[in-house]
Amino acid sequence: MASHNLAHIKIDELEILGYSVAAEETVVAMPQLDVCFDIGKAPDQIIPINNILLTHGHMDHAAGIAYYLSHRHFCGQSPGTILAPENLLGPIREVIDAWSRLDGNKVPANLVGVKAGDEYQIKPNLFTRVFPTKHSRGSVGYTVIEKRKKLKPDYTHLRGPQIVELKKQGIEIDYPLELPIVTYLGDTQYVDFSQLKYIVASKILIAECTFYEAEHSGRADAGRHMHINEFATLLTKLNNEHIVITHTTQRTPLRDIRRILKEALPAEKYRRITLLMDRRLK
Ligand SMILES: [Zn+2]
Ligand SMILES: [Zn+2]
């Protein structure tokens, strides 16, 4: 029996599983990419995923770290990898050590500290790039990027054997191409993310938009979150084909959030939007 009733989205062939409600829990997994953004309370369904990309240390995003690591060990899986802002590595180690003592079993972990600008390889053709967000000290977001090689225009007319021959001669016939698949903003107040081209060009944007009602804009500022007015401004500068909204407040019912989004966004943006929490089994 799964621990969570997760939302489930399919975009082309890519699956997104998750749960995200402000102040309660946030975890967003993409199994085919082998990444899970934040870990929430470690739902059973995400335990097999090898890479956890933690954006910041707030309890609702990070509480499940020790359980995730320990449960993998219990099931005979390799130690999970946790990418986290480098200023959090000390406290994360302390939490894992404390749980090891409580549990009576060592909890194996592969911890990787990251800061804005870092890159980390997930698979041979897939890596994540880290960018800064404005939420808590050291908080970051992640873009997962596929690396491909493309034939240089000079060689596109050649046939297979000719290409093989050129390769044998050591001639560089292709150039590296980066395809940003998904950007996960995590918790953040408004930042002009359009300055980072790989965010603008990401096929999928997974973004927090916490507050929707006019009288909640002060709450957005205080908690360093986005209000729909700021989110609408941000979207005018981005070009993502699919936009998944996470981290919605419990103060506003989902049906009202849908209505406010429709009013606030141009139709061509609104049709790209999926509210993560709309996609749960009823
Ligand atoms: Zn949060
Ligand atoms: Zn937070």
Side-chain angles (χ1 to χ4, degrees):
M1 180 84 173
S3 63
H4 282 57
N5 174 10
L6 297 180
H8 188 199
I9 298 171
K10 206 164 181 191
I11 295 175
D12 299 334
E13 285 311 299
L14 282 176
E15 283 177 293
I16 301 176
L17 297 172
Y19 186 96
S20 181
V21 174
E24 187 188 327
E25 179 170 16
T26 287
V27 49
V28 181
M30 295 188 71
Q32 287 115 324
L33 304 181
D34 203 16
V35 300
C36 183
F37 303 107
D38 292 326
I39 192 164
K41 299 169 191 169
D44 289 341
Q45 296 96 320
I46 65 97
I47 304 287
I49 293 176
N50 289 305
N51 303 284
I52 306 298
L53 279 44
L54 199 70
T55 59
H56 66 296
H58 286 161
M59 185 76 91
D60 49 321
H61 295 247
I65 289 175
Y67 181 79
Y68 161 78
L69 293 166
S70 154
H71 201 63
R72 284 177 67 93
H73 186 51
F74 179 73
C75 298
Q77 291 167 321
S78 60
T81 294
I82 295 180
L83 269 63
E86 59 184 3
N87 57 313
L88 300 184
L89 275 207
I92 290 174
R93 265 195 205 105
E94 285 171 29
V95 166
I96 294 168
D97 288 348
W99 267 113
S100 297
R101 292 201 298 280
L102 266 173
D103 190 71
N105 289 293
K106 181 135 187 60
V107 179
N110 178 29
L111 303 181
V112 180
V114 295
K115 59 181 185 317
D118 284 357
E119 292 179 353
Y120 179 86
Q121 188 169 350
I122 296 164
K123 298 182 187 193
N125 64 338
L126 203 68
F127 70 98
T128 184
R129 186 173 287 152
V130 183
F131 58 87
T133 59
K134 227 172 166 182
H135 182 62
S136 58
R137 197 168 69 84
S139 63
V140 298
Y142 297 90
T143 300
V144 177
I145 302 171
E146 186 186 341
K147 264 191 227 173
R148 277 199 204 158
K149 281 184 173 176
K150 202 159 165 44
L151 214 53
K152 289 179 181 170
D154 288 355
Y155 302 114
T156 47
H157 63 285
L158 297 182
R159 290 161 184 270
Q162 294 169 299
I163 288 172
V164 171
E165 187 52 39
L166 286 172
K167 276 189 177 170
K168 270 189 198 161
Q169 292 172 27
I171 293 171
E172 285 273 337
I173 56 166
D174 42 33
Y175 63 96
L177 194 68
E178 289 186 356
L179 296 170
I181 300 173
V182 57
T183 290
Y184 178 78
L185 297 186
D187 284 7
T188 184
Q189 64 184 98
Y190 174 82
V191 176
D192 182 6
F193 288 106
S194 70
Q195 291 175 21
L196 297 172
K197 296 300 163 221
Y198 54 90
I199 295 183
V200 178
S202 281
K203 182 183 174 99
I204 305 168
L205 174 74
I206 304 175
E208 82 129 280
C209 183
T210 306
F211 294 108
Y212 295 84
E213 296 170 53
E215 59 269 32
H216 288 171
S217 83
R219 287 184 187 275
D221 290 342
R224 298 194 142 201
H225 290 296
M226 264 193 274
H227 185 272
I228 178 63
N229 294 345
E230 296 152 328
F231 186 62
T233 304
L234 176 64
L235 289 192
T236 61
K237 306 176 184 195
L238 302 180
N239 204 18
N240 317 98
E241 267 177 64
H242 305 274
I243 300 155
V244 178
I245 295 182
T246 60
H247 211 267
T248 41
T249 178
Q250 284 171 300
R251 293 173 186 276
T252 308
L254 275 177
R255 62 173 183 279
D256 293 348
I257 292 179
R258 257 180 254 126
R259 176 182 50 79
I260 296 167
L261 277 167
K262 198 169 184 177
E263 287 164 4
L265 299 175
E268 67 87 29
K269 288 288 179 197
Y270 180 73
R271 67 175 170 76
R272 303 175 193 209
I273 299 264
T274 305
L275 270 172
L276 180 73
M277 295 309 278
D278 252 352
R279 295 296 183 90
R280 296 169 73 211
L281 294 171
K282 292 291 182 293

